[in-house]
Amino acid sequence: MSPIEAAVQAAGWIRACGIDDDRGRHWRAGERPALPHRPASLYSGAAGIVLFFLELAAATGDDSYLEDAERGARHLSAVWAEQSDPTFHDGLAGVVFALAEAGWAIDDSFTRAAAAAADLLAAAGPTWTGDPSQRGDGGIILTLLHASAMLGEPAYERVAVEAGLRIAALPVPGHRFGAEPPADLPVDAVTPGFLSGTAGTAFLLARLHAVTGDPRFLEAANSGAGFVRAVSEVTGACALVPHHVPQGRHLHYLGFCSGSAGVARMFHELGDSDWVDRLVHGILTSGVPHRRTPGFWDVMCQCCGAAGLLELFVGLWERDDCRAFARVLGEHLVNASSQGRWWQAYRRLRPHEITADTGYMVGAAGIGAALLHLDAAERGDSRRLVLLPDNPFPLAVRSAQA
């Protein structure tokens, strides 16, 4: 089975989980899903699934997948004002992104809905959660930067820059959680990773520097990157990032959320190819995906599993070693598919809980999207890819396709 055939199978299973009502379509979270369902979210709900169907339609030329995306976007248009969570992965900001993509591909009515939702998001700023990381204000700021460019509204960028300057003023931006650290971490934990820690915040600040040229953003981004370098474990040409310090210094995740695949995005955005190389070599010498490690267990998804690694290695497709490993990861994911489902132990500390989820960051939609990105790279396909605002590799993918 090819990557695109596996993605088509995933679409079939996700379709079977669809729920239609007078406001459009949303989807069940899956079979014994890993998370409490947030029906509109990008992480596990309709926003992420809409993105997957948009990409699948472009990859296959089958407009029936656009119909799936359109029904999901109608649901998002009807419910965006009900979202109490402003964040990118779990709330309103992710809905803004999905609606803007649906507007570009399907109908201007979704663009107007995206703009209305972005207006609300911007008006609530320049602070939203008190957490500077990507899971908090950082992801919202990236969304507003993207929306400003895609929807043509400079006011969104102004709010994003004001919010970013507040984060840049922190001593080490993003190195501590906001008001609500996760229940499974000590209250004094310091996290260098991407989704909930320093690397993701430094990525945001580097992106703000690229947009504005303001040296305060670059200084703060380098401060965050310096912290990540200081706490990482370096052996020869390899580097591994601790999940948290000081307690988890020797627990090295490899995926997007808290590990090498996410942290590499920050160093790539800063133009530090040496540390991108170190993190890549750390993954390549780890024995994954076939070897299980404490930081890479039986998990397939974009957040902490093989699909998140695949996004990194497809992004670095022009490198021979990365291209070869991307194919290994793709084969692993294709072989792990069970009629469009990927069964996994999403929670590392609960390996007995085996789930199959539909969503983007946690399940089949995101795994399918990663396989579609692999397919595009393999084919040298010029089709437009839907890449999240925290993905710094679109130019690398396109150059590989040229």
Side-chain angles (χ1 to χ4, degrees):
M1 184 165 56
S2 69
I4 200 164
E5 287 170 337
V8 167
Q9 276 200 355
W13 178 57
I14 294 170
R15 277 176 163 173
C17 295
I19 301 171
D20 290 310
D21 56 30
D22 59 359
R23 302 203 293 183
R25 176 177 294 174
H26 59 284
W27 291 268
R28 289 189 292 110
E31 296 181 23
R32 303 197 300 273
L35 299 171
H37 194 28
R38 296 184 176 181
S41 74
L42 185 145
Y43 200 98
S44 60
I49 293 173
V50 165
L51 298 180
F52 168 60
F53 278 121
L54 289 174
E55 288 217 70
L56 190 57
T60 62
D62 185 343
D63 285 345
S64 70
Y65 296 125
L66 274 184
E67 295 175 12
D68 293 286
E70 188 273 337
R71 291 174 182 174
R74 280 201 291 115
H75 175 79
L76 295 176
S77 295
V79 305
W80 66 261
E82 301 170 7
Q83 306 307 303
S84 59
D85 184 328
T87 63
F88 179 66
H89 289 97
D90 287 323
L92 181 61
V95 173
V96 169
F97 180 79
L99 283 170
E101 289 293 332
W104 188 91
I106 301 172
D107 188 89
D108 283 346
S109 66
F110 301 130
T111 304
R112 292 191 292 273
D119 287 346
L120 181 64
L121 196 63
T127 58
W128 296 266
T129 69
D131 182 344
S133 73
Q134 292 291 336
R135 73 168 193 153
D137 288 359
I140 298 169
I141 296 167
L142 273 182
T143 301
L144 289 174
L145 288 176
H146 181 272
S148 179
M150 196 161 185
L151 303 176
E153 179 46 75
Y156 303 154
E157 182 179 314
R158 289 195 292 269
V159 175
V161 170
E162 182 182 355
L165 286 170
R166 294 174 181 235
I167 294 174
L170 298 172
V172 181
H175 83 301
R176 285 192 182 275
F177 281 105
E180 298 182 10
D184 59 348
L185 284 184
V187 294
D188 60 340
V190 177
T191 54
F194 195 86
L195 186 58
S196 300
T198 313
T201 307
F203 171 92
L204 165 70
L205 294 165
R207 177 65 55 84
L208 282 164
H209 174 257
V211 170
T212 66
D214 190 325
R216 290 174 290 181
F217 289 126
L218 183 59
E219 181 181 357
N222 283 327
S223 172
F227 171 75
V228 175
R229 293 187 193 98
V231 299
S232 294
E233 181 178 306
V234 179
T235 306
C238 301
L240 295 169
V241 181
H243 181 265
H244 60 282
V245 293
Q247 304 90 344
R249 184 173 293 277
H250 301 296
L251 173 60
H252 302 123
Y253 276 33
L254 297 182
F256 160 78
C257 60
S258 300
S260 301
V263 174
R265 296 185 179 203
M266 179 265 290
F267 285 116
H268 186 277
E269 186 75 8
L270 279 168
D272 188 341
S273 58
D274 176 62
W275 266 80
V276 174
D277 288 346
R278 289 173 184 268
L279 293 165
V280 164
H281 289 145
I283 296 169
L284 291 176
T285 58
S286 68
V288 304
H290 305 300
R291 175 174 175 256
R292 299 286 180 253
T293 73
F296 187 87
W297 56 104
D298 185 19
V299 63
M300 305 294 170
C301 64
Q302 286 259 5
C303 184
C304 43
L309 288 177
L310 182 55
E311 294 284 16
L312 169 65
F313 284 90
V314 168
L316 298 173
W317 186 258
E318 74 279 5
R319 293 177 43 162
D320 290 344
D321 56 347
C322 292
R323 184 164 58 251
F325 192 61
R327 289 168 175 153
V328 170
L329 290 165
E331 181 179 14
H332 173 71
L333 286 167
V334 167
N335 290 340
S337 173
S338 176
Q339 297 180 317
R341 303 162 178 80
W342 279 271
W343 295 97
Q344 62 179 356
Y346 171 75
R347 298 185 185 278
R348 181 180 63 86
L349 298 178
R350 302 180 194 170
H352 58 284
E353 293 182 1
I354 305 300
T355 68
D357 298 82
T358 56
Y360 196 94
M361 296 305 297
V362 71
I367 297 169
L371 290 171
L372 292 176
H373 299 160
L374 173 62
D375 173 77
E378 288 281 17
R379 294 172 184 266
D381 199 325
S382 61
R383 69 181 185 255
R384 183 172 182 269
L385 304 179
V386 178
L387 300 174
L388 303 187
D390 58 18
N391 187 329
F393 301 118
L395 293 179
V397 172
R398 286 174 188 152
S399 67
Q401 294 169 349

